[in-house]
Amino acid sequence: MHYVPVDNLKPGMILGQEIYDAAGKTLIMAEASLTEENISYLIFLGVLGVYIKDEAGDHVKGGGIVNARVRRDAVSVVSKFFNRALGDEAKEKYGVEIAPEEADIQASVEQVVDEVLSDEQVMNTIIEVRTYDGYTFFHSADVAILAGVLAEKCHLKDTEVRDVVEAGFLHDIGKVFINPDIINAPRRLTEEERVAMMEHPEKGYNYLKVNYSFNGEVLRAVHEHHEWYNGGGYPSKKGGNALSFLSRLLKCADVYDAMTGRRVYHEPYLPGEVMEYFMGRSGMEFDPTIVKTMTRTLCVYPAGCDIELSDGRKAIVVENHVGAVLRPTVYCTETGETVDLLHDHDALRLTITKLAI
């Protein structure tokens, strides 16, 4: 498939993926022939771009970390879990019974972990589509999936992979108890608002501990996901080995996903820009071991995206290589030539100079 930013979509293009909301409801079906109305609707939803089916996209290999159904189910489960916490009873006294949504979360965790562990070459190779309105739910599901991949790449035990995926689903539940005007503020927060926002890890931890039976490692990661490696984070200002490794890993997945997604206060950063940020703050905000793993795992040139080579040729990324994310295989759209930037001797001096997403 070929990734096309919404501004470049044209009527008659064939949609290569289903578009759904945070509840799992289909908004536009895959294989639909786009109309002006469809394109306007995608813009209204806040979708940045979609994958379409065309001749150039037929050369693209690979897909998402997990299949579309698993991700869709994960987003829907997170949505239901958060919406339950929005109930007045939960707000006032955190409830007293274990809800069936806990079993749903655990079932979704198993689906994600099974997918992550089934493929040793799994990589973050495509751009996942989100609707603007359901940001928190899409974000939580995608952080969980990404955290699972990083945990697998760090060679953690299967039980630890499950724990960090579960913590990813739950990490922002405390935001339910923060004033939504603060959560959605399209500006820099005041000091008072910033302090209120910093309470969400503690509130989330307390809500989950009282109302559910998630294990201690999961709860700890939820509580610590805004701590910094050097002790400069919150809520406890712990750092280094005083933080669990799962907390440090979840921190990285959370920040990476937030920076590459659109927020009310910023447009998305390119994956390469985000990796530069991580490398610059390695040992300060982020665990250096995890940053090193990220530089080999997270694709800065997602499959299906348009790029430009240093010799001026336009191309599409068709395949990424594990451990060499800066040197994908590309398909030159004007000449029909496939170039492997990692292995082709004649391409050793070529670099990618532009990415369009």
Side-chain angles (χ1 to χ4, degrees):
M1 295 185 292
H2 182 190
Y3 181 84
V4 179
V6 288
D7 291 342
N8 296 337
L9 292 175
K10 304 283 192 249
M13 288 182 171
I14 304 301
L15 190 62
Q17 62 185 134
E18 180 184 30
I19 306 299
Y20 52 88
D21 64 14
K25 177 184 176 183
T26 298
L27 303 176
I28 306 177
M29 295 182 64
E31 307 287 340
S33 178
L34 292 178
T35 64
E36 292 282 6
E37 290 77 14
N38 290 149
I39 296 169
S40 296
Y41 188 40
L42 289 170
I43 293 172
F44 170 76
L45 292 172
V47 172
L48 298 174
V50 295
Y51 285 89
I52 65 166
K53 288 190 172 183
D54 61 10
E55 185 176 347
D58 290 342
H59 297 269
V60 176
K61 301 176 183 178
I65 296 172
V66 298
N67 72 47
R69 177 189 56 79
V70 170
R71 180 176 182 261
R72 176 177 178 162
D73 289 349
V75 173
S76 178
V77 165
V78 170
S79 173
K80 291 177 183 176
F81 193 90
F82 275 58
N83 284 328
R84 181 182 188 276
L86 279 168
D88 290 337
E89 182 181 13
K91 279 188 176 182
E92 292 174 4
K93 58 183 180 182
Y94 288 152
V96 293
E97 297 179 355
I98 294 178
E101 285 83 359
E102 180 173 347
D104 293 339
I105 287 282
Q106 291 169 345
S108 191
V109 167
E110 291 302 319
Q111 286 186 313
V112 170
V113 171
D114 286 348
E115 294 258 326
V116 168
L117 297 182
S118 68
D119 184 0
E120 293 182 357
Q121 302 299 309
V122 67
M123 298 175 70
N124 182 31
T125 59
I126 69 170
I127 301 170
E128 298 289 5
V129 174
R130 304 172 181 173
T131 60
Y132 187 75
D133 188 52
Y135 171 83
T136 297
F137 310 129
F138 284 99
H139 169 69
S140 297
D142 288 339
V143 166
I145 293 167
L146 179 55
V149 170
L150 293 177
E152 190 276 332
K153 295 298 182 183
C154 289
H155 308 294
L156 300 189
K157 294 183 292 187
D158 291 3
T159 54
E160 294 173 309
V161 177
R162 287 179 173 80
D163 284 347
V164 80
V165 170
E166 194 160 75
F169 281 133
L170 304 170
H171 76 283
D172 271 346
I173 189 68
K175 288 184 177 179
V176 166
F177 308 107
I178 305 297
N179 186 331
D181 291 338
I182 296 176
I183 300 293
N184 300 315
R187 53 170 173 78
R188 184 181 294 274
L189 298 180
T190 67
E191 180 60 21
E192 182 179 1
E193 290 171 334
R194 189 181 69 83
V195 170
M197 175 67 87
M198 290 169 61
E199 294 176 354
H200 81 266
E202 186 83 29
K203 288 180 179 291
Y205 170 82
N206 288 334
Y207 170 69
L208 295 171
K209 184 177 181 180
V210 170
N211 210 35
Y212 295 93
S213 58
F214 298 112
N215 72 51
E217 290 302 312
V218 171
L219 295 178
R220 183 177 178 184
V222 170
H223 192 256
E224 296 179 344
H225 77 275
H226 276 293
E227 302 286 3
W228 285 24
Y229 187 72
N230 70 354
Y234 63 88
S236 303
K237 293 193 176 298
K238 295 190 294 186
N241 291 331
L243 301 169
S244 78
F245 189 77
L246 298 189
S247 301
R248 288 175 265 160
L249 194 152
L250 182 59
K251 160 76 174 178
C252 290
D254 180 35
V255 173
Y256 182 88
D257 189 79
M259 292 185 70
T260 53
R262 173 185 280 172
R263 303 298 301 272
V264 292
Y265 47 83
H266 77 69
E267 288 297 303
Y269 296 96
L270 293 174
E273 295 173 330
V274 177
M275 287 312 307
E276 290 285 352
Y277 177 85
F278 269 80
M279 290 185 287
R281 299 172 78 86
S282 177
M284 180 174 63
E285 186 174 355
F286 308 111
D287 184 321
T289 302
I290 300 171
V291 172
K292 185 176 180 180
T293 298
M294 294 174 72
T295 62
R296 296 175 53 84
T297 302
L298 304 185
C299 301
V300 296
Y301 303 117
C305 289
D306 291 315
I307 57 98
E308 184 173 314
L309 297 172
S310 53
D311 62 4
R313 282 183 290 177
K314 305 292 193 300
I316 295 177
V317 178
V318 299
E319 185 177 15
N320 281 280
H321 304 295
V322 176
V325 295
L326 295 176
R327 308 295 294 174
T329 296
V330 304
Y331 172 76
C332 298
T333 52
E334 296 169 346
T335 64
E337 179 186 8
T338 298
V339 180
D340 185 336
L341 297 178
L342 180 62
H343 299 108
D344 291 354
H345 180 76
D346 293 339
L348 294 181
R349 293 189 179 183
L350 285 176
T351 59
I352 295 175
T353 58
K354 187 181 297 184
L355 169 68
I357 61 173

